[in-house]
Amino acid sequence: MERRKFLTVGSTALAISLVPLSLSAVNFRESSPQTWEARHSVDAIKELYGSSDGIAGVIKLKAPKLAEDGASIPLNIKSKMDLESISVFQDANPRSAVAVFSIPKNGCVNFDLRIKMKTTSNITAMGKGRDGKLYKTVQKVNVSIGGCGAS
Amino acid sequence: MKIKAKLKGQTIKVKALFNSAMVGKEEAIKKKTVPSFITHIIAKVNGETVYEVSTGPFISKNPLFKFQFVGAAKGDSLEIITTDNNGKQEQGTTKIK
């Protein structure tokens, strides 16, 4: 009886210790494949987070107002909040989702990346905090020459 | 894959350049090639994940990513693994300077 008790306690302790590991690494392509097929950013955000509304002003999205070359638009995403994940969407390309960052505990929210856009459209940065709240920032980028090998 | 990692104060600043055409479905038909893009990038220090991103084909060709993290020392090795849409993995390591 004592041994059985010990085993159950041991196995639950092991399960608890394993949970943070699996939470800290999320492959969003496997966990929410529907997001990557959505045409519009609103649908893609709803697939990923359940709602497309968010609190403004928490995530800072730095993007050029006028991009001369749509093949390479530099973006910078910054936030001081303790966020769980941040994702980037646009409405210019055949599918909306660009990238989803999953942020580990000791990571800083300060990412640089370059994206492609065919035409002028809005870029949406959506984030989810560890408190469960959603944050949203939208910025319009004008593209004079389209990327994606098409114009 | 080219990676640079530098320690400044408490934070480690990383720049990573990957080799990928980043060609999606529609672009592949236009260019008469097969789709080829990175879908997942993960960076680890001492077995702990410090950066992770799932990507689509609308990232620029030969993508450059910059990121920061805390909690590592000079001389630790940073390991980055990328996976593309065909499941092919590439690995690169560098020492934090």
Side-chain angles (χ1 to χ4, degrees):
Chain A
M1 196 63 191
E2 289 231 323
R3 184 165 168 268
R4 191 173 288 169
K5 233 181 206 170
F6 170 76
L7 279 174
T8 44
V9 168
S11 60
T12 43
L14 189 72
I16 288 159
S17 66
L18 281 173
V19 165
L21 266 179
S22 57
L23 276 178
S24 69
V26 185
N27 187 341
F28 284 97
R29 269 199 173 269
E30 283 165 10
S31 66
S32 57
Q34 287 296 316
T35 307
W36 302 90
E37 297 300 325
R39 171 74 185 80
H40 294 288
S41 55
V42 175
D43 302 332
I45 292 166
K46 269 186 189 159
E47 284 290 344
L48 193 61
Y49 295 118
S51 161
S52 64
D53 300 319
I55 302 157
V58 175
I59 299 165
K60 277 179 189 160
L61 176 67
K62 214 172 163 187
K65 284 203 174 81
L66 177 72
E68 282 184 10
D69 185 5
S72 171
I73 301 163
L75 296 185
N76 177 266
I77 303 160
K78 253 187 196 174
S79 181
K80 279 177 184 166
M81 281 289 290
D82 189 15
L83 298 172
E84 191 177 81
S85 72
I86 279 195
S87 47
V88 183
F89 302 93
Q90 40 63 38
D91 284 317
N93 296 331
R95 286 177 303 285
S96 175
V98 175
V100 183
F101 298 89
S102 107
I103 303 149
K105 275 267 151 71
N106 53 353
C108 311
V109 184
N110 189 346
F111 304 127
D112 276 88
L113 73 161
R114 290 176 188 166
I115 71 164
K116 290 189 275 199
M117 265 166 60
K118 230 195 232 171
T119 53
T120 298
S121 100
N122 282 336
I123 294 177
T124 311
M126 195 83 189
K128 191 184 182 188
R130 284 192 211 280
D131 51 5
K133 281 179 189 160
L134 294 174
Y135 304 96
K136 187 182 185 179
T137 302
V138 181
Q139 204 196 317
K140 194 180 179 186
V141 174
N142 288 296
V143 175
S144 44
I145 306 166
C148 272
S151 55
Chain B
M1 191 189 298
K2 279 181 192 167
I3 315 162
K4 271 184 186 175
K6 243 184 187 178
L7 183 74
K8 261 187 188 174
Q10 291 285 311
T11 56
I12 297 106
K13 294 185 177 179
V14 185
K15 285 181 198 173
L17 183 72
F18 305 104
N19 293 320
S20 172
M22 299 307 277
V23 175
K25 251 190 251 167
E26 290 79 7
E27 224 180 326
I29 295 164
K30 212 163 267 169
K31 287 182 177 170
K32 285 170 188 159
T33 54
V34 286
S36 158
F37 55 94
I38 292 170
T39 56
H40 190 238
I41 300 164
I42 187 161
K44 284 177 184 178
V45 174
N46 303 328
E48 233 178 274
T49 307
V50 291
Y51 175 77
E52 192 185 24
V53 56
S54 311
T55 56
F58 307 116
I59 306 265
S60 301
K61 186 182 161 190
N62 294 335
L64 174 75
F65 284 92
K66 288 184 205 166
F67 62 93
Q68 300 180 356
F69 64 92
V70 291
K74 228 178 214 183
D76 284 357
S77 71
L78 174 78
E79 185 189 24
I80 297 184
I81 301 164
T82 64
T83 312
D84 74 359
N85 59 328
N86 301 315
K88 203 182 127 198
Q89 287 198 327
E90 257 182 71
Q91 193 192 27
T93 49
T94 188
K95 280 216 164 118
I96 295 165
K97 279 176 189 169

mmCIF file of all heavy atoms in Angstrom, chain A residues 88-128:
data_model
loop_
_atom_site.group_PDB
_atom_site.id
_atom_site.type_symbol
_atom_site.label_atom_id
_atom_site.label_comp_id
_atom_site.label_asym_id
_atom_site.label_seq_id
_atom_site.Cartn_x
_atom_site.Cartn_y
_atom_site.Cartn_z
ATOM 1 N N VAL A 88 2.237 37.843 -36.485
ATOM 2 C CA VAL A 88 2.201 38.903 -37.481
ATOM 3 C C VAL A 88 1.315 38.466 -38.642
ATOM 4 O O VAL A 88 1.451 37.352 -39.154
ATOM 5 C CB VAL A 88 3.626 39.221 -38.002
ATOM 6 C CG1 VAL A 88 3.593 40.365 -38.989
ATOM 7 C CG2 VAL A 88 4.559 39.530 -36.858
ATOM 8 N N PHE A 89 0.399 39.353 -39.028
ATOM 9 C CA PHE A 89 -0.513 39.066 -40.147
ATOM 10 C C PHE A 89 -0.527 40.237 -41.125
ATOM 11 O O PHE A 89 -0.258 41.367 -40.756
ATOM 12 C CB PHE A 89 -1.946 38.846 -39.630
ATOM 13 C CG PHE A 89 -2.070 37.739 -38.638
ATOM 14 C CD1 PHE A 89 -1.997 38.003 -37.277
ATOM 15 C CD2 PHE A 89 -2.246 36.436 -39.054
ATOM 16 C CE1 PHE A 89 -2.107 36.977 -36.354
ATOM 17 C CE2 PHE A 89 -2.359 35.414 -38.135
ATOM 18 C CZ PHE A 89 -2.293 35.678 -36.777
ATOM 19 N N GLN A 90 -0.862 39.957 -42.372
ATOM 20 C CA GLN A 90 -1.085 41.026 -43.364
ATOM 21 C C GLN A 90 -2.215 40.594 -44.291
ATOM 22 O O GLN A 90 -2.627 39.440 -44.275
ATOM 23 C CB GLN A 90 0.195 41.342 -44.129
ATOM 24 C CG GLN A 90 1.069 40.170 -44.528
ATOM 25 C CD GLN A 90 0.419 39.217 -45.473
ATOM 26 O OE1 GLN A 90 -0.311 39.628 -46.358
ATOM 27 N NE2 GLN A 90 0.657 37.934 -45.304
ATOM 28 N N ASP A 91 -2.713 41.548 -45.097
ATOM 29 C CA ASP A 91 -3.838 41.244 -45.980
ATOM 30 C C ASP A 91 -3.478 41.329 -47.460
ATOM 31 O O ASP A 91 -4.346 41.325 -48.311
ATOM 32 C CB ASP A 91 -4.993 42.209 -45.684
ATOM 33 C CG ASP A 91 -5.707 41.830 -44.405
ATOM 34 O OD1 ASP A 91 -5.945 40.636 -44.218
ATOM 35 O OD2 ASP A 91 -5.998 42.722 -43.594
ATOM 36 N N ALA A 92 -2.188 41.412 -47.789
ATOM 37 C CA ALA A 92 -1.801 41.620 -49.183
ATOM 38 C C ALA A 92 -1.573 40.315 -49.939
ATOM 39 O O ALA A 92 -1.703 40.264 -51.152
ATOM 40 C CB ALA A 92 -0.544 42.472 -49.244
ATOM 41 N N ASN A 93 -1.233 39.259 -49.238
ATOM 42 C CA ASN A 93 -0.825 38.014 -49.880
ATOM 43 C C ASN A 93 -1.955 36.984 -49.887
ATOM 44 O O ASN A 93 -2.963 37.178 -49.212
ATOM 45 C CB ASN A 93 0.409 37.458 -49.148
ATOM 46 C CG ASN A 93 1.608 38.387 -49.267
ATOM 47 O OD1 ASN A 93 1.725 39.095 -50.245
ATOM 48 N ND2 ASN A 93 2.452 38.385 -48.268
ATOM 49 N N PRO A 94 -1.799 35.898 -50.662
ATOM 50 C CA PRO A 94 -2.867 34.884 -50.723
ATOM 51 C C PRO A 94 -3.301 34.340 -49.367
ATOM 52 O O PRO A 94 -4.466 33.998 -49.181
ATOM 53 C CB PRO A 94 -2.244 33.775 -51.555
ATOM 54 C CG PRO A 94 -1.199 34.439 -52.365
ATOM 55 C CD PRO A 94 -0.705 35.599 -51.583
ATOM 56 N N ARG A 95 -2.389 34.229 -48.426
ATOM 57 C CA ARG A 95 -2.759 33.804 -47.077
ATOM 58 C C ARG A 95 -2.214 34.815 -46.070
ATOM 59 O O ARG A 95 -1.235 35.495 -46.347
ATOM 60 C CB ARG A 95 -2.241 32.398 -46.810
ATOM 61 C CG ARG A 95 -3.055 31.336 -47.565
ATOM 62 C CD ARG A 95 -2.527 29.926 -47.372
ATOM 63 N NE ARG A 95 -1.147 29.802 -47.767
ATOM 64 C CZ ARG A 95 -0.730 29.759 -49.025
ATOM 65 N NH1 ARG A 95 -1.591 29.848 -50.015
ATOM 66 N NH2 ARG A 95 0.543 29.634 -49.310
ATOM 67 N N SER A 96 -2.865 34.904 -44.945
ATOM 68 C CA SER A 96 -2.634 36.044 -44.066
ATOM 69 C C SER A 96 -1.467 35.885 -43.092
ATOM 70 O O SER A 96 -0.726 36.828 -42.850
ATOM 71 C CB SER A 96 -3.916 36.338 -43.301
ATOM 72 O OG SER A 96 -3.687 37.346 -42.381
ATOM 73 N N ALA A 97 -1.304 34.709 -42.526
ATOM 74 C CA ALA A 97 -0.321 34.530 -41.454
ATOM 75 C C ALA A 97 1.100 34.622 -41.990
ATOM 76 O O ALA A 97 1.415 34.058 -43.038
ATOM 77 C CB ALA A 97 -0.538 33.197 -40.766
ATOM 78 N N VAL A 98 1.944 35.357 -41.280
ATOM 79 C CA VAL A 98 3.345 35.488 -41.669
ATOM 80 C C VAL A 98 4.233 34.708 -40.704
ATOM 81 O O VAL A 98 4.992 33.843 -41.103
ATOM 82 C CB VAL A 98 3.777 36.965 -41.718
ATOM 83 C CG1 VAL A 98 5.260 37.080 -42.010
ATOM 84 C CG2 VAL A 98 2.988 37.715 -42.772
ATOM 85 N N ALA A 99 4.128 35.036 -39.424
ATOM 86 C CA ALA A 99 4.973 34.374 -38.444
ATOM 87 C C ALA A 99 4.302 34.403 -37.074
ATOM 88 O O ALA A 99 3.591 35.350 -36.752
ATOM 89 C CB ALA A 99 6.333 35.055 -38.358
ATOM 90 N N VAL A 100 4.508 33.347 -36.308
ATOM 91 C CA VAL A 100 4.013 33.304 -34.937
ATOM 92 C C VAL A 100 5.195 32.999 -34.023
ATOM 93 O O VAL A 100 5.824 31.959 -34.145
ATOM 94 C CB VAL A 100 2.912 32.238 -34.752
ATOM 95 C CG1 VAL A 100 2.377 32.282 -33.331
ATOM 96 C CG2 VAL A 100 1.777 32.439 -35.735
ATOM 97 N N PHE A 101 5.500 33.942 -33.138
ATOM 98 C CA PHE A 101 6.589 33.756 -32.183
ATOM 99 C C PHE A 101 6.021 33.188 -30.901
ATOM 100 O O PHE A 101 5.020 33.686 -30.390
ATOM 101 C CB PHE A 101 7.257 35.092 -31.851
ATOM 102 C CG PHE A 101 7.885 35.774 -33.029
ATOM 103 C CD1 PHE A 101 7.150 36.650 -33.808
ATOM 104 C CD2 PHE A 101 9.201 35.537 -33.349
ATOM 105 C CE1 PHE A 101 7.730 37.287 -34.898
ATOM 106 C CE2 PHE A 101 9.791 36.179 -34.435
ATOM 107 C CZ PHE A 101 9.049 37.049 -35.203
ATOM 108 N N SER A 102 6.670 32.161 -30.374
ATOM 109 C CA SER A 102 6.297 31.714 -29.037
ATOM 110 C C SER A 102 7.435 32.140 -28.119
ATOM 111 O O SER A 102 8.605 31.906 -28.415
ATOM 112 C CB SER A 102 6.066 30.205 -29.036
ATOM 113 O OG SER A 102 7.103 29.542 -28.399
ATOM 114 N N ILE A 103 7.085 32.855 -27.054
ATOM 115 C CA ILE A 103 8.114 33.505 -26.249
ATOM 116 C C ILE A 103 8.385 32.719 -24.979
ATOM 117 O O ILE A 103 7.491 32.555 -24.148
ATOM 118 C CB ILE A 103 7.701 34.949 -25.923
ATOM 119 C CG1 ILE A 103 7.444 35.708 -27.227
ATOM 120 C CG2 ILE A 103 8.767 35.653 -25.105
ATOM 121 C CD1 ILE A 103 6.421 36.775 -27.126
ATOM 122 N N PRO A 104 9.610 32.215 -24.812
ATOM 123 C CA PRO A 104 9.942 31.513 -23.577
ATOM 124 C C PRO A 104 10.107 32.489 -22.412
ATOM 125 O O PRO A 104 10.164 33.706 -22.625
ATOM 126 C CB PRO A 104 11.252 30.816 -23.908
ATOM 127 C CG PRO A 104 11.820 31.552 -25.056
ATOM 128 C CD PRO A 104 10.712 32.243 -25.762
ATOM 129 N N LYS A 105 10.203 31.955 -21.218
ATOM 130 C CA LYS A 105 10.232 32.762 -19.987
ATOM 131 C C LYS A 105 11.355 33.792 -19.960
ATOM 132 O O LYS A 105 11.161 34.923 -19.546
ATOM 133 C CB LYS A 105 10.373 31.832 -18.766
ATOM 134 C CG LYS A 105 9.036 31.301 -18.288
ATOM 135 C CD LYS A 105 8.436 32.158 -17.192
ATOM 136 C CE LYS A 105 6.927 32.137 -17.145
ATOM 137 N NZ LYS A 105 6.342 30.900 -16.687
ATOM 138 N N ASN A 106 12.553 33.419 -20.419
ATOM 139 C CA ASN A 106 13.680 34.360 -20.345
ATOM 140 C C ASN A 106 13.959 35.055 -21.674
ATOM 141 O O ASN A 106 15.044 35.540 -21.919
ATOM 142 C CB ASN A 106 14.940 33.653 -19.831
ATOM 143 C CG ASN A 106 15.252 32.402 -20.631
ATOM 144 O OD1 ASN A 106 14.465 31.995 -21.485
ATOM 145 N ND2 ASN A 106 16.386 31.799 -20.385
ATOM 146 N N GLY A 107 12.946 35.115 -22.525
ATOM 147 C CA GLY A 107 13.107 35.821 -23.794
ATOM 148 C C GLY A 107 12.613 37.244 -23.689
ATOM 149 O O GLY A 107 11.720 37.548 -22.908
ATOM 150 N N CYS A 108 13.213 38.145 -24.461
ATOM 151 C CA CYS A 108 12.738 39.523 -24.510
ATOM 152 C C CYS A 108 11.894 39.672 -25.778
ATOM 153 O O CYS A 108 12.191 39.057 -26.791
ATOM 154 C CB CYS A 108 13.896 40.503 -24.617
ATOM 155 S SG CYS A 108 15.185 40.217 -23.425
ATOM 156 N N VAL A 109 10.859 40.492 -25.687
ATOM 157 C CA VAL A 109 10.050 40.733 -26.877
ATOM 158 C C VAL A 109 10.691 41.866 -27.665
ATOM 159 O O VAL A 109 10.431 43.030 -27.435
ATOM 160 C CB VAL A 109 8.591 41.051 -26.514
ATOM 161 C CG1 VAL A 109 7.753 41.192 -27.765
ATOM 162 C CG2 VAL A 109 8.029 39.976 -25.613
ATOM 163 N N ASN A 110 11.574 41.514 -28.543
ATOM 164 C CA ASN A 110 12.231 42.468 -29.429
ATOM 165 C C ASN A 110 12.706 41.695 -30.660
ATOM 166 O O ASN A 110 13.799 41.160 -30.684
ATOM 167 C CB ASN A 110 13.401 43.132 -28.695
ATOM 168 C CG ASN A 110 13.964 44.282 -29.486
ATOM 169 O OD1 ASN A 110 13.672 44.446 -30.673
ATOM 170 N ND2 ASN A 110 14.795 45.075 -28.840
ATOM 171 N N PHE A 111 11.822 41.627 -31.656
ATOM 172 C CA PHE A 111 12.128 40.813 -32.824
ATOM 173 C C PHE A 111 12.233 41.660 -34.079
ATOM 174 O O PHE A 111 11.470 42.597 -34.264
ATOM 175 C CB PHE A 111 11.020 39.770 -33.050
ATOM 176 C CG PHE A 111 10.766 38.886 -31.873
ATOM 177 C CD1 PHE A 111 9.488 38.741 -31.359
ATOM 178 C CD2 PHE A 111 11.800 38.186 -31.287
ATOM 179 C CE1 PHE A 111 9.250 37.917 -30.272
ATOM 180 C CE2 PHE A 111 11.567 37.359 -30.193
ATOM 181 C CZ PHE A 111 10.292 37.222 -29.687
ATOM 182 N N ASP A 112 13.176 41.321 -34.918
ATOM 183 C CA ASP A 112 13.298 41.931 -36.234
ATOM 184 C C ASP A 112 13.080 40.849 -37.282
ATOM 185 O O ASP A 112 13.616 39.762 -37.152
ATOM 186 C CB ASP A 112 14.709 42.510 -36.412
ATOM 187 C CG ASP A 112 14.815 43.896 -35.820
ATOM 188 O OD1 ASP A 112 15.108 43.958 -34.626
ATOM 189 O OD2 ASP A 112 14.587 44.872 -36.543
ATOM 190 N N LEU A 113 12.298 41.174 -38.306
ATOM 191 C CA LEU A 113 12.179 40.265 -39.431
ATOM 192 C C LEU A 113 11.812 41.057 -40.672
ATOM 193 O O LEU A 113 11.463 42.227 -40.591
ATOM 194 C CB LEU A 113 11.145 39.154 -39.159
ATOM 195 C CG LEU A 113 9.667 39.480 -39.161
ATOM 196 C CD1 LEU A 113 8.875 38.202 -39.348
ATOM 197 C CD2 LEU A 113 9.232 40.125 -37.877
ATOM 198 N N ARG A 114 11.942 40.425 -41.825
ATOM 199 C CA ARG A 114 11.590 41.089 -43.081
ATOM 200 C C ARG A 114 10.521 40.271 -43.771
ATOM 201 O O ARG A 114 10.628 39.054 -43.863
ATOM 202 C CB ARG A 114 12.820 41.188 -43.984
ATOM 203 C CG ARG A 114 13.831 42.165 -43.464
ATOM 204 C CD ARG A 114 15.037 42.136 -44.329
ATOM 205 N NE ARG A 114 16.104 42.938 -43.740
ATOM 206 C CZ ARG A 114 17.352 42.861 -44.156
ATOM 207 N NH1 ARG A 114 17.683 42.040 -45.116
ATOM 208 N NH2 ARG A 114 18.260 43.625 -43.601
ATOM 209 N N ILE A 115 9.485 40.959 -44.248
ATOM 210 C CA ILE A 115 8.387 40.228 -44.883
ATOM 211 C C ILE A 115 8.141 40.716 -46.312
ATOM 212 O O ILE A 115 8.619 41.769 -46.718
ATOM 213 C CB ILE A 115 7.089 40.301 -44.047
ATOM 214 C CG1 ILE A 115 6.481 41.709 -44.083
ATOM 215 C CG2 ILE A 115 7.331 39.866 -42.614
ATOM 216 C CD1 ILE A 115 5.047 41.740 -43.618
ATOM 217 N N LYS A 116 7.341 39.911 -47.044
ATOM 218 C CA LYS A 116 6.980 40.233 -48.419
ATOM 219 C C LYS A 116 5.531 40.696 -48.461
ATOM 220 O O LYS A 116 4.690 40.140 -47.753
ATOM 221 C CB LYS A 116 7.071 38.976 -49.286
ATOM 222 C CG LYS A 116 8.448 38.481 -49.528
ATOM 223 C CD LYS A 116 8.448 37.382 -50.563
ATOM 224 C CE LYS A 116 8.178 36.030 -49.974
ATOM 225 N NZ LYS A 116 8.574 34.908 -50.809
ATOM 226 N N MET A 117 5.224 41.692 -49.276
ATOM 227 C CA MET A 117 3.835 42.103 -49.482
ATOM 228 C C MET A 117 3.614 42.493 -50.924
ATOM 229 O O MET A 117 4.397 43.227 -51.512
ATOM 230 C CB MET A 117 3.483 43.263 -48.558
ATOM 231 C CG MET A 117 2.827 42.797 -47.270
ATOM 232 S SD MET A 117 2.768 44.055 -46.020
ATOM 233 C CE MET A 117 1.840 45.311 -46.802
ATOM 234 N N LYS A 118 2.520 41.985 -51.499
ATOM 235 C CA LYS A 118 2.219 42.235 -52.907
ATOM 236 C C LYS A 118 1.733 43.664 -53.120
ATOM 237 O O LYS A 118 2.112 44.315 -54.072
ATOM 238 C CB LYS A 118 1.116 41.253 -53.310
ATOM 239 C CG LYS A 118 1.408 40.477 -54.573
ATOM 240 C CD LYS A 118 0.122 39.860 -55.038
ATOM 241 C CE LYS A 118 0.257 38.390 -55.285
ATOM 242 N NZ LYS A 118 -1.019 37.747 -55.539
ATOM 243 N N THR A 119 0.820 44.102 -52.260
ATOM 244 C CA THR A 119 0.231 45.441 -52.414
ATOM 245 C C THR A 119 0.185 46.149 -51.055
ATOM 246 O O THR A 119 0.581 45.587 -50.047
ATOM 247 C CB THR A 119 -1.219 45.344 -52.937
ATOM 248 O OG1 THR A 119 -1.936 44.462 -52.081
ATOM 249 C CG2 THR A 119 -1.277 44.854 -54.364
ATOM 250 N N THR A 120 -0.359 47.355 -51.093
ATOM 251 C CA THR A 120 -0.557 48.123 -49.869
ATOM 252 C C THR A 120 -1.574 47.435 -48.968
ATOM 253 O O THR A 120 -2.632 47.022 -49.440
ATOM 254 C CB THR A 120 -1.062 49.526 -50.240
ATOM 255 O OG1 THR A 120 -0.067 50.158 -51.028
ATOM 256 C CG2 THR A 120 -1.351 50.359 -49.023
ATOM 257 N N SER A 121 -1.261 47.290 -47.700
ATOM 258 C CA SER A 121 -2.246 46.709 -46.780
ATOM 259 C C SER A 121 -1.855 46.979 -45.334
ATOM 260 O O SER A 121 -0.814 47.572 -45.063
ATOM 261 C CB SER A 121 -2.409 45.208 -47.021
ATOM 262 O OG SER A 121 -1.682 44.474 -46.072
ATOM 263 N N ASN A 122 -2.712 46.536 -44.447
ATOM 264 C CA ASN A 122 -2.439 46.674 -43.018
ATOM 265 C C ASN A 122 -1.604 45.508 -42.520
ATOM 266 O O ASN A 122 -1.806 44.370 -42.943
ATOM 267 C CB ASN A 122 -3.746 46.694 -42.234
ATOM 268 C CG ASN A 122 -4.440 48.032 -42.312
ATOM 269 O OD1 ASN A 122 -3.809 49.061 -42.556
ATOM 270 N ND2 ASN A 122 -5.738 48.022 -42.119
ATOM 271 N N ILE A 123 -0.703 45.799 -41.603
ATOM 272 C CA ILE A 123 0.025 44.738 -40.905
ATOM 273 C C ILE A 123 -0.506 44.708 -39.476
ATOM 274 O O ILE A 123 -0.633 45.749 -38.825
ATOM 275 C CB ILE A 123 1.536 45.002 -40.906
ATOM 276 C CG1 ILE A 123 2.069 44.930 -42.342
ATOM 277 C CG2 ILE A 123 2.267 43.987 -40.034
ATOM 278 C CD1 ILE A 123 3.531 45.240 -42.465
ATOM 279 N N THR A 124 -0.863 43.537 -38.998
ATOM 280 C CA THR A 124 -1.391 43.393 -37.648
ATOM 281 C C THR A 124 -0.422 42.583 -36.804
ATOM 282 O O THR A 124 -0.009 41.502 -37.210
ATOM 283 C CB THR A 124 -2.751 42.665 -37.668
ATOM 284 O OG1 THR A 124 -3.577 43.287 -38.641
ATOM 285 C CG2 THR A 124 -3.418 42.714 -36.314
ATOM 286 N N ALA A 125 -0.071 43.134 -35.645
ATOM 287 C CA ALA A 125 0.707 42.363 -34.676
ATOM 288 C C ALA A 125 -0.225 42.053 -33.509
ATOM 289 O O ALA A 125 -0.820 42.943 -32.925
ATOM 290 C CB ALA A 125 1.910 43.155 -34.201
ATOM 291 N N MET A 126 -0.374 40.763 -33.226
ATOM 292 C CA MET A 126 -1.315 40.333 -32.197
ATOM 293 C C MET A 126 -0.522 39.576 -31.133
ATOM 294 O O MET A 126 0.309 38.745 -31.448
ATOM 295 C CB MET A 126 -2.335 39.401 -32.862
ATOM 296 C CG MET A 126 -3.555 39.146 -32.066
ATOM 297 S SD MET A 126 -4.747 40.463 -32.275
ATOM 298 C CE MET A 126 -5.900 39.992 -31.009
ATOM 299 N N GLY A 127 -0.792 39.881 -29.886
ATOM 300 C CA GLY A 127 -0.058 39.199 -28.830
ATOM 301 C C GLY A 127 -0.975 38.679 -27.748
ATOM 302 O O GLY A 127 -2.076 39.209 -27.541
ATOM 303 N N LYS A 128 -0.540 37.627 -27.080
ATOM 304 C CA LYS A 128 -1.302 37.099 -25.956
ATOM 305 C C LYS A 128 -0.417 37.104 -24.725
ATOM 306 O O LYS A 128 0.689 36.559 -24.739
ATOM 307 C CB LYS A 128 -1.769 35.678 -26.266
ATOM 308 C CG LYS A 128 -2.789 35.192 -25.259
ATOM 309 C CD LYS A 128 -3.160 33.749 -25.517
ATOM 310 C CE LYS A 128 -4.203 33.310 -24.524
ATOM 311 N NZ LYS A 128 -4.471 31.891 -24.589
#
